Amino acid sequence: MFPTVWVSSPGREALREPHCHRDGKQTIAKCGFLRAIIQHPRPRHDPKGPRKARMLRKIQICLCFFFVSGILYEISLLSGCFFSYVPMSKHFLTPEQVLNLGKSIIFLETTERLEPTPLVSCSVESAARIYQDRPVILFMKGLTNHTVLDLNSSYAAFSLLSSMKNVFIFPLQMDTVFQETPLLQWYNQVVPEQEKNWIHISSDASRLALIWKYGGIYMDTDVISIRPIPEETFLAAQKSKFSSNGIFGFPANHKFIWGCMENFVLKYNGNIWGNQGPSLMTRMLKAICNLTDFQGTEDHSCQNISFLNPQRFYPIPYPAWSRYYAVWDKSPNFNHSYALHLWNFMNRNRKAVVAGSNTLAENLYKAYCPTTYKHLIQNAKRREFTESEDVA
């Protein structure tokens, strides 16, 4: 269904195979070793050989049964120990194999950009740290099945993310993603060049299709994870009675997401900002739920869908987005939040995290994506300093 991109990782540290996997190999070796002993227990001239051979054969069958049972049990735990494997081995996996592990955290890059920005890198890294037992996938439209990227190239963020054991980077091919969904007919008819909001609309559509097919959590690439989300089936309130689509989670084949895809096509209007995004989620939720204002930090629930309080992801609302790039006298603790949406769409002046600025965003980078901070923020500061010395 998906193509695979080979990404080499020379020079990266090799992680040892997990204990659970190593035991599996040892189990097979032990079984073979015991079989060799049991099959040739005594010299052939032993007069009691036939009777003992039958008894030992029974023992062999019993022992191998227990060993095989153990192996099957270990295989059933594969997804639990999977992410301790050597990073290079993960690049042999296809998107389906990773997505089918279940409970993926999905990010999308629908521009042609191949170099993730520091904020994208921070979002993916923070999710990989918070959800260490789950695959974290970044789909990038700029990648193709012919792309070969050297992780030691100038793409520092790409190299950084690819080296993380549970992070996977795959091409985003929409004609494949939309197969067997209501979105395919729309996609075959729409003309992207005539759509002024195509980057956002195509992202809105892709996230619905991927979550419907495989389940998991979708996150925008400007969402910094700070603690695990305890819900499996949820929407995130941006404010009372209004849902975002910047982060949501559902199991595979959930009827609500299917309904969203149908409504996406039925009510399609690419000229209205958010019509296929937050407005879509909100009108679909209102169709099945009686939405009320939030009181305090409570969450709402309707038809087994949790509608999470704005404090969970949007403690700083979009009109105040620039406060992330301000210096606070006392930084907030965000005790009621699972992740923080930094409103990158509002950041038209491209405020950035600068080493030593002591802004709220810098402190978030230090706490939740320290590798990104070290390699992309601090190193940038050092390069600037070196370049200024060279000019002087």
Side-chain angles (χ1 to χ4, degrees):
M1 178 182 172
F2 289 95
T4 301
V5 174
W6 169 252
V7 183
S8 62
S9 55
R12 292 288 166 190
E13 60 177 350
L15 301 181
R16 292 190 300 271
E17 290 179 332
H19 181 67
C20 56
H21 188 66
R22 215 166 45 239
D23 283 350
K25 288 186 176 179
Q26 289 175 352
T27 298
I28 296 171
K30 289 175 184 175
C31 190
F33 178 70
L34 286 171
R35 187 183 300 113
I37 294 174
I38 293 169
Q39 285 177 342
H40 305 285
R42 281 182 175 273
R44 293 181 181 178
H45 64 267
D46 187 347
K48 298 181 180 179
R51 187 171 57 183
K52 289 187 176 182
R54 285 194 298 272
M55 181 176 67
L56 287 170
R57 227 180 276 114
K58 291 179 181 179
I59 295 173
Q60 175 189 12
I61 293 171
C62 292
L63 286 173
C64 283
F65 172 80
F66 286 116
F67 282 125
V68 170
S69 298
I71 292 168
L72 293 175
Y73 176 72
E74 289 173 350
I75 291 172
S76 73
L77 297 178
L78 177 61
S79 62
C81 63
F82 179 81
F83 298 118
S84 297
Y85 277 28
V86 179
M88 287 187 295
S89 68
K90 72 181 184 178
H91 301 299
F92 290 104
L93 296 170
T94 66
E96 291 92 343
Q97 288 172 323
V98 178
L99 288 162
N100 285 331
L101 289 172
K103 297 188 176 181
S104 298
I105 312 297
I106 296 174
F107 294 90
L108 296 173
E109 175 58 74
T110 52
T111 70
E112 297 293 332
R113 183 189 297 122
L114 282 176
E115 172 67 345
T117 66
L119 181 53
V120 173
S121 180
C122 184
S123 298
V124 176
E125 180 188 345
S126 64
R129 289 177 177 274
I130 295 298
Y131 303 96
Q132 295 186 25
D133 60 339
R134 300 172 69 163
V136 177
I137 306 172
L138 173 61
F139 284 100
M140 301 182 71
K141 186 174 182 293
L143 289 179
T144 71
N145 56 336
H146 302 296
T147 304
V148 179
L149 293 175
D150 181 352
L151 295 190
N152 287 335
S153 70
S154 59
Y155 292 125
F158 198 104
S159 173
L160 184 156
L161 294 176
S162 296
S163 67
M164 296 179 185
K165 63 184 180 180
N166 62 328
V167 173
F168 299 82
I169 303 178
F170 292 121
L172 174 63
Q173 292 197 336
M174 296 179 195
D175 53 349
T176 301
V177 168
F178 297 142
Q179 292 290 335
E180 301 176 0
T181 76
L183 298 169
L184 183 61
Q185 183 178 0
W186 158 80
Y187 180 72
N188 288 336
Q189 294 174 349
V190 73
V191 182
E193 294 77 15
Q194 297 177 4
E195 300 286 336
K196 65 178 183 179
N197 298 313
W198 178 247
I199 290 174
H200 304 282
I201 291 170
S202 60
S203 178
D204 292 335
S206 298
R207 68 190 70 176
L208 289 172
L210 286 166
I211 293 298
W212 183 79
K213 285 184 174 183
Y214 301 103
I217 295 174
Y218 167 81
M219 294 185 185
D220 277 350
T221 52
D222 56 351
V223 172
I224 298 178
S225 298
I226 62 177
R227 56 178 57 89
I229 302 169
E231 306 289 342
E232 180 184 10
T233 308
F234 70 91
L235 292 170
Q238 184 173 313
K239 59 183 179 180
S240 284
K241 303 180 183 181
F242 191 82
S243 177
S244 81
N245 76 328
I247 180 167
F248 60 93
F250 283 84
N253 306 130
H254 196 284
K255 63 180 182 180
F256 180 83
I257 299 298
W258 183 267
C260 286
M261 292 190 291
E262 290 182 324
N263 192 272
F264 183 107
V265 177
L266 182 65
K267 301 290 185 180
Y268 183 75
N269 187 336
N271 294 319
I272 301 177
W273 170 256
N275 188 62
Q276 274 64 54
S279 296
L280 166 65
M281 293 296 204
T282 301
R283 63 178 177 262
M284 292 299 295
L285 190 61
K286 285 182 175 179
I288 61 173
C289 302
N290 179 26
L291 301 183
T292 59
D293 290 330
F294 288 95
Q295 303 297 325
T297 58
E298 67 177 4
D299 297 320
H300 292 172
S301 181
C302 172
Q303 306 238 350
N304 294 321
I305 299 173
S306 295
F307 190 39
L308 301 184
N309 193 288
Q311 287 295 315
R312 306 298 178 220
F313 307 104
Y314 303 99
I316 296 178
Y318 77 89
W321 69 270
S322 61
R323 298 192 69 192
Y324 280 114
Y325 298 92
V327 177
W328 292 52
D329 293 334
K330 182 180 180 181
S331 293
N333 54 37
F334 299 117
N335 285 339
H336 301 294
S337 301
Y338 304 134
L340 304 173
H341 192 286
L342 268 61
W343 304 107
N344 193 53
F345 177 72
M346 302 295 294
N347 189 5
R348 294 184 176 87
N349 293 328
R350 292 294 173 254
K351 291 180 181 290
V353 172
V354 178
S357 61
N358 197 35
T359 61
L360 176 58
E362 184 193 13
N363 292 328
L364 292 173
Y365 275 48
K366 287 180 179 178
Y368 301 108
C369 56
T371 306
T372 294
Y373 181 77
K374 176 182 177 181
H375 290 280
L376 302 186
I377 306 300
Q378 287 185 322
N379 283 356
K381 188 73 173 179
R382 293 190 191 100
R383 284 195 298 271
E384 290 175 7
F385 179 76
T386 303
E387 289 170 0
S388 65
E389 281 190 329
D390 291 341
V391 171

